[in-house]
């Protein structure tokens, strides 16, 4: 067994309890930053979703007591959804993790950190660098994510680490990288207001991104709003056209639209010739997607297909938006690229009100994608590229030989490796896979096999924390500072405005302490504060599509209402507007600067209906008042009043009649993997043969079938076979 480094935490700082009295600020404990003025107002970015709303935080004696939406912030223009309004209140929950917990007992930080390093080193020493992995989240700040990725890989020597972004945005990443040459969502939120046709595919912004929907409502052009969704969602109800296709027939529909647009003269030939590659092959591929075939496979009528194509063809500024209905599919990357293909072939990109636009999920999903050192080397670089490793080594001051020369396994592959016994330890940071991962019982069976399971989280009560050998108590949003990158690539700063409870520490400081205990603290001597890490990441971004070297620092982010990437200086001058979209010059990030048409033949989802399981279960966001696994939002009494007390299954009246089930009756939903008892909501919002459950309830993923998009490795939560029985 390896011995711990010569200088231990005790020697470095003295006992933590004494330090708390003497030097609390050294750990980010007990004080709010001096940059705040007591009894004033400061500005923050909401820490729930990727919209990235600006909030005004009202202070008394230097500490937050209330908040209101920021009317000057270019994202939300004075509005906030219920989650944002409750952001401070969820911090006061009694189940906050206040002390480290080792095998169910509270311990001090010194004991916890010694144990963490001891166990991780033992496993890595005995079984090699692939035996331990980390899984993190787009919920922590981008400086923290970068620190975690750098610490785990460069400092501790791990190879594998991924984020829960894999459940959310991996598809958009894979699609953009191949089609545009970089993970580059092209839009700015002003595009919601500047389109005359908005096409939402597998997206329900009324519920999932309500403030973005407010931007749609501000559109003064009386736009056509088209929704493609098997369910009649809240957004579909507000749309001018709704296409309720069969579940997971979206890829066929999108190819069918391309076919019609080509046939009817809807191609922007000048744009295609000047700025794309592969159109001829795409044109010949979609020749097979005749209206007859497409209508048979999607359930649409030929008239509706023609109307849909005609609306796109006649639109002057058409924007295409997608989110989890596309990203969480068995052929998700090709589906996202089929949307991109439509934007490219009609020339709807790089102009106001256009774009092939993936809406992200978590507050820092974009930071996770580019700066987490998981699938990308810091700053959107490639671990396998020697020049990239050299560049990042120089920018960070790390020895180049400490940078892995291969990709991490994806999330599902790490879990599979844990099942096979090659991964023996996993360190989860601010994520709750015992609730959120697909086929939950299987996930939990595998987690229980681990030699060492660490959870670093705000709450010690999550389903995953309850299974952990070691829980490290973390500060939450508002209790630490750093930046998020939102859906439109805007980097926004959020300050510390509250004390964290007990001895909970900012994730940033936990990583600093682990670096020290591990004995690699010297490698991170420049990483003392989030803003110093921001500077390191600026250097990493130089020359990349996501360059942020032109940002002066946190002060500019606060002053300017956030800054979108790319943000480089031009001849030493800041010449940028605060609302920018990409590709206005028609140049993409591929080698030949052309966007690429990517496509594949549709295949049927892996789990099909059968006599025993005749219904298709879809899952999704059920309310704007809850966030993901309800780890935080579940603590708010206000938000709890806005959702049903019990889990409710949407069931079509025809199916209800056939089963003899009435609205509000209790039923069992049964899949091959599990059964749940729920209440029914009989509604024509789902079609016959289809049922729907919101994902927030901790039991729903017991039912879901674990299938993955082969290109993005993102799980498909939208197509599991079930049956329903009366209790
Ligand atoms: Fe805005 Fe999202 Fe926060 Fe709601 S949760 S206030 S939409 S950032």
């Amino acid at each position: 067994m390896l011995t711990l480094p010569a200088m231990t935490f005790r020697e470095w700082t003295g006992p933590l309890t004494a330090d708390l009295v003497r030097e609390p600020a050294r750990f980010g404990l007990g004080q709010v930053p001096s940059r705040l003025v007591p009894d004033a107002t400061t500005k923050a970015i909401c820490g729930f979703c990727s919209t990235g709303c600006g909030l005004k935080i009202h202070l008394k004696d230097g500490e937050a007591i209330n908040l209101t939406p920021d009317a000057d912030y270019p994202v939300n223009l004075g509005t906030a959804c219920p989650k944002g309004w409750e952001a401070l209140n969820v911090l006061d929950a009694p189940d906050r993790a206040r002390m480290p917990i080792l095998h169910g007992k509270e311990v001090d930080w010194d004991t916890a950190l010694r144990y963490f390093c001891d166990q991780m080193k033992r496993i890595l020493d005995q079984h090699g660098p692939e035996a331990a992995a980390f899984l993190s989240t787009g919920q922590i700040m981008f400086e923290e994510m970068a620190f975690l990725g750098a610490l785990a890989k460069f400092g501790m020597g791990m190879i594998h680490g991924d984020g829960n972004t894999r459940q959310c945005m991996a598809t958009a990443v894979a699609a953009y990288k191949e089609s545009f040459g970089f993970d580059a969502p092209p839009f700015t939120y002003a595009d919601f207001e500047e389109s005359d046709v908005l096409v939402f595919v597998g997206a329900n912004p009324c519920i999932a991104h309500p403030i973005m929907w407010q931007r749609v409502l501000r559109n003064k052009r009386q736009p056509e709003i088209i929704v493609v969704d098997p369910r009649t969602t809240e957004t579909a109800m507000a749309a001018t056209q709704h296409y309720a296709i069969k579940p997971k027939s979206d890829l066929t529909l999108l190819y069918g639209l391309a076919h019609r647009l080509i046939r009817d003269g809807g191609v922007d030939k000048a744009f295609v010739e000047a700025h794309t590659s592969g159109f001829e092959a795409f044109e010949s591929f979609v020749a097979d997607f005749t209206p007859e075939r497409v209508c048979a496979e999607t359930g649409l009528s030929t008239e509706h297909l023609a109307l849909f194509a005609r609306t796109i063809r006649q639109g002057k500024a058409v924007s295409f938006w997608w989110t989890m209905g596309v990203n969480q599919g068995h052929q998700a990357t090709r589906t996202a690229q089929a949307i991109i293909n439509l934007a490219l072939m009609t020339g709807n990109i790089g102009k106001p009100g256009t774009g092939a636009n993936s809406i992200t999920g978590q507050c820092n999903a974009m930071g996770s994608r580019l700066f987490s050192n998981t699938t990308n080397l810091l700053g959107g670089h490639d671990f396998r590229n020697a020049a990239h490793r050299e560049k990042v080594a120089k920018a960070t001051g790390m020895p180049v030989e400490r940078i892995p020369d291969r990709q991490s396994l994806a999330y599902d592959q790490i879990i599979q490796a844990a099942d096979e016994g090659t991964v023996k330890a996993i360190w989860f940071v601010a994520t709750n896979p015992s609730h959120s991962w697909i086929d939950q019982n299987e996930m939990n069976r595998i987690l229980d096999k681990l030699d060492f399971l660490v959870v670093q989280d705000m709450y010690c009560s999550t389903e995953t924390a309850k299974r952990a050998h070691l829980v490290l108590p973390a500060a939450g949003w508002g209790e630490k500072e750093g930046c998020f990158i939102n859906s439109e690539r805007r980097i926004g700063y959020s300050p510390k405005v509250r004390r964290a409870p007990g001895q909970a520490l900012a994730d940033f400081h936990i990583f600093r302490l682990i670096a020290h205990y591990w004995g690699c603290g010297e490698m991170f001597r420049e990483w003392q504060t989030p803003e110093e890490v921001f500077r390191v990441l600026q250097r990493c971004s130089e020359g990349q599509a996501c360059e942020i070297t032109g940002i002066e620092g946190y002060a500019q982010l606060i002053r300017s209402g956030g800054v979108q990437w790319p943000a480089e200086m031009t001849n030493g001058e800041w010449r940028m507007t605060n609302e920018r979209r990409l590709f206005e010059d028609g140049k993409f990030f591929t080698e030949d600067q052309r966007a690429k048409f990517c496509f594949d033949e549709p295949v049927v989802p892996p789990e099909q209906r059968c006599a025993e399981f005749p219904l298709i279960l879809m899952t999704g966001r059920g309310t704007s008042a809850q966030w993901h696994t309800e780890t935080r939002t579940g603590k708010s009494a206000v938000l709890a009043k806005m959702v049903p007390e019990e889990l409710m299954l949407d069931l079509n009246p025809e199916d209800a009649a056939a089963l003899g089930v009435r609205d509000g009756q209790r039923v069992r939903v049964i899949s091959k993997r599990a059964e749940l008892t729920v209440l029914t909501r009989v509604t024509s919002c789902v079609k016959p043969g289809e049922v729907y459950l919101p994902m927030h309830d901790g039991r729903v993923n017991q039912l879901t079938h674990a299938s993955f998009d082969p290109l993005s490795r993102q799980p498909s939560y939208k197509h599991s076979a079930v049956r329903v029985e009366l209790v």
Side-chain angles (χ1 to χ4, degrees):
M1 186 186 295
L2 277 181
T3 51
L4 284 169
M7 186 171 66
T8 68
F9 178 64
R10 243 176 241 288
E11 289 154 343
W12 179 45
T13 63
L16 183 62
T17 43
D19 259 22
L20 284 171
V21 177
R22 227 177 23 239
E23 287 189 277
R26 189 166 183 179
F27 303 95
L29 274 168
Q31 289 184 342
V32 288
S34 57
R35 75 176 88 221
L36 298 183
V37 183
D39 299 335
T41 296
T42 190
K43 295 190 174 198
I45 307 300
C46 177
F48 285 110
C49 91
S50 68
T51 307
C53 295
L55 302 173
K56 278 188 175 172
I57 310 288
H58 308 290
L59 307 167
K60 183 166 175 24
D61 300 330
E63 199 155 345
I65 51 165
N66 209 338
L67 62 81
T68 46
D70 185 353
D72 299 326
Y73 202 67
V75 166
N76 49 317
L77 310 171
T79 55
C81 84
K83 300 184 291 293
W85 281 99
E86 281 295 283
L88 285 170
N89 292 337
V90 301
L91 299 174
D92 297 327
D95 57 343
R96 287 293 303 271
R98 288 157 201 273
M99 293 287 291
I101 300 171
L102 178 59
H103 297 298
K105 292 203 172 65
E106 287 190 353
V107 294
D108 61 25
W109 272 106
D110 185 51
T111 306
L113 293 168
R114 282 169 183 274
Y115 191 83
F116 176 91
C117 292
D118 202 14
Q119 292 299 311
M120 285 290 186
K121 285 192 175 191
R122 177 182 63 76
I123 287 165
L124 290 168
D125 270 10
Q126 286 178 2
H127 304 286
E130 299 198 52
F134 65 95
L135 289 165
S136 69
T137 173
Q139 290 298 130
I140 60 174
M141 274 122 171
F142 99 126
E143 298 89 342
E144 294 181 323
M145 294 203 79
F147 203 153
L148 170 61
L151 168 65
K153 291 194 172 181
F154 309 159
M156 297 167 68
M158 292 184 199
I159 304 290
H160 303 308
D162 202 357
N164 63 10
T165 330
R166 183 71 62 181
Q167 290 158 270
C168 170
M169 298 317 304
T171 289
V173 175
Y176 281 139
K177 272 188 174 175
E178 193 180 11
S179 295
F180 293 164
F182 198 82
D183 175 17
F187 62 100
T188 186
Y189 291 159
D191 289 319
F192 284 121
E193 299 176 31
E194 293 173 2
S195 300
D196 61 0
V197 178
L198 297 107
V199 181
F200 291 95
V201 186
N204 184 13
C206 275
I207 287 294
H209 296 92
I211 302 305
M212 293 193 205
W213 182 248
Q214 292 298 312
R215 301 292 298 261
V216 176
L217 297 181
R218 288 167 57 97
N219 188 319
K220 295 194 172 65
R221 294 153 201 255
Q222 296 192 312
E224 281 288 333
I225 299 175
I226 302 177
V227 169
V228 178
D229 200 308
R231 293 190 303 128
T232 307
T233 61
E234 293 77 358
T235 311
M237 289 176 202
T240 54
Q241 298 175 38
H242 171 212
Y243 298 111
I245 56 172
K246 294 178 186 170
K248 285 295 122 215
S249 64
D250 42 6
L251 186 53
T252 301
L253 170 63
L254 295 161
Y255 289 152
L257 286 168
H259 174 107
R260 286 240 31 163
L261 285 162
I262 291 167
R263 202 186 76 179
D264 298 343
V267 177
D268 182 340
K269 288 187 180 152
F271 183 88
V272 167
E273 272 168 33
H275 302 298
T276 70
S277 64
F279 180 70
E280 277 180 24
F282 180 63
E283 184 176 15
S284 108
F285 170 78
V286 296
D288 284 345
F289 289 82
T290 59
E292 296 70 30
R293 172 184 171 183
V294 171
C295 292
E297 292 180 18
T298 61
L300 291 192
S301 67
T302 49
E303 292 75 24
H304 279 146
L305 182 65
L307 172 64
F308 193 169
R310 190 167 64 245
T311 311
I312 294 173
R313 185 162 50 82
Q314 293 177 345
K316 291 187 176 55
V318 184
S319 57
F320 299 86
W321 307 86
W322 82 87
T323 182
M324 295 313 141
V326 169
N327 284 351
Q328 295 177 335
H330 68 290
Q331 241 181 331
T333 303
R334 291 297 183 235
T335 309
Q337 288 172 323
I339 296 170
I340 293 171
N341 294 344
L342 287 177
L344 293 174
M345 67 189 282
T346 56
N348 276 299
I349 196 144
K351 295 180 287 196
T354 66
N357 305 328
S358 121
I359 304 172
T360 50
Q362 305 183 79
C363 51
N364 190 36
M366 196 73 234
S368 166
R369 285 152 69 161
L370 294 170
F371 291 98
S372 65
N373 221 32
T374 52
T375 47
N376 287 315
L377 180 56
L378 295 172
H381 292 93
D382 187 341
F383 283 99
R384 294 162 298 188
N385 183 318
H388 284 191
R389 293 197 300 276
E390 287 286 350
K391 180 182 162 191
V392 171
K394 196 160 164 240
T396 56
M398 300 287 164
V400 70
E401 62 278 7
R402 301 289 301 176
I403 300 180
D405 59 3
R406 57 192 157 128
Q407 288 288 92
S408 166
L409 293 176
Y411 201 129
D412 67 300
Q413 295 163 328
I414 290 172
I415 299 305
Q416 190 187 338
D419 194 22
E420 289 161 0
T422 50
V423 166
K424 295 180 181 300
I426 304 183
W427 175 16
F428 289 99
V429 179
T431 186
N432 183 16
S434 285
H435 177 144
S436 63
W437 194 252
I438 202 159
D439 192 0
Q440 185 188 99
N441 292 336
E442 183 66 0
M443 173 57 135
N444 288 335
R445 180 187 68 75
I446 296 167
L447 290 184
D448 290 343
K449 284 172 73 172
L450 288 169
D451 287 0
F452 191 38
L453 170 57
V454 184
V455 170
Q456 182 172 318
D457 204 301
M458 288 169 67
Y459 301 94
C460 51
S461 57
T462 70
E463 291 89 341
T464 316
K466 284 181 191 160
R467 316 183 98 83
H469 302 114
L470 177 64
V471 177
L472 301 176
W477 171 90
E479 297 166 345
K480 57 184 182 177
E481 68 168 347
C483 296
F484 299 127
I485 309 182
N486 78 354
S487 269
E488 55 165 358
R489 313 179 316 282
R490 184 178 302 276
I491 305 163
Y493 168 78
S494 211
K496 177 177 176 176
V497 291
R498 278 272 186 109
R499 294 172 176 82
Q503 294 195 7
L505 293 170
D507 295 284
F508 188 88
H509 292 294
I510 297 174
F511 302 142
R512 278 180 66 209
L513 286 169
I514 289 174
H516 173 76
Y517 266 67
W518 196 268
C520 60
E522 195 49 27
M523 288 171 71
F524 297 94
R525 64 186 171 282
E526 198 187 341
W527 301 46
Q528 296 291 314
T529 66
E531 191 159 16
E532 282 165 333
V533 173
F534 186 87
R535 300 264 178 235
V536 173
L537 297 176
Q538 284 184 296
R539 296 201 296 268
C540 289
S541 75
E542 193 170 349
Q544 290 292 91
C546 59
E547 180 158 353
I548 53 172
T549 54
I551 301 171
E552 286 165 24
Y554 284 175
Q556 185 186 16
L557 294 176
I558 298 164
R559 204 171 54 236
S560 60
V563 176
Q564 289 174 295
W565 66 255
E568 72 274 26
M569 300 287 247
T570 309
N571 300 326
E573 273 186 65
W574 182 259
R575 293 172 190 266
M576 291 170 191
T577 59
N578 208 14
E579 285 275 350
R580 284 175 291 129
R581 63 187 59 80
L582 300 177
F583 312 130
E584 287 181 328
D585 57 0
K587 290 182 180 159
F588 293 84
F589 300 116
T590 51
E591 271 185 23
D592 60 4
Q593 297 190 324
R594 289 168 174 271
K596 196 172 151 192
F597 283 89
C598 304
F599 48 90
D600 258 331
E601 193 63 42
V603 295
V604 295
E607 186 163 82
Q608 291 291 311
R609 289 184 180 91
C610 60
E612 195 181 355
F613 301 104
L615 303 167
I616 292 301
L617 169 69
M618 300 169 285
T619 68
R621 193 179 299 280
T623 167
S624 60
Q626 291 297 329
W627 179 247
H628 289 180
T629 65
E630 300 182 329
T631 305
R632 280 184 290 168
T633 49
K635 308 298 187 292
S636 159
V638 173
L639 297 179
K641 284 185 191 150
M642 299 173 77
V643 293
E645 278 178 22
E646 281 201 53
L647 179 59
M648 301 197 81
L649 175 85
D650 284 3
L651 180 71
N652 182 272
E654 272 183 37
D655 291 326
L659 291 161
V661 174
R662 291 190 313 278
D663 188 55
Q665 240 179 333
R666 215 166 283 283
V667 294
R668 274 193 291 273
V669 194
I670 305 164
S671 77
K672 280 184 190 162
R673 295 154 289 280
E675 72 173 62
L676 304 183
T677 302
V678 301
L679 291 183
T680 51
R681 181 165 63 180
V682 177
T683 169
S684 51
C685 290
V686 289
K687 297 199 298 298
E690 297 164 18
V691 292
Y692 170 81
L693 283 172
M695 66 180 183
H696 311 291
D697 188 282
R699 299 168 295 156
V700 167
N701 278 315
Q702 292 176 22
L703 298 172
T704 47
H705 174 253
S707 60
F708 301 87
D709 173 54
L711 300 175
S712 68
R713 306 300 314 163
Q714 182 156 344
S716 166
Y717 288 91
K718 309 293 187 194
H719 205 282
S720 306
V722 297
R723 71 169 179 274
V724 173
E725 292 176 356
L726 252 181
V727 170

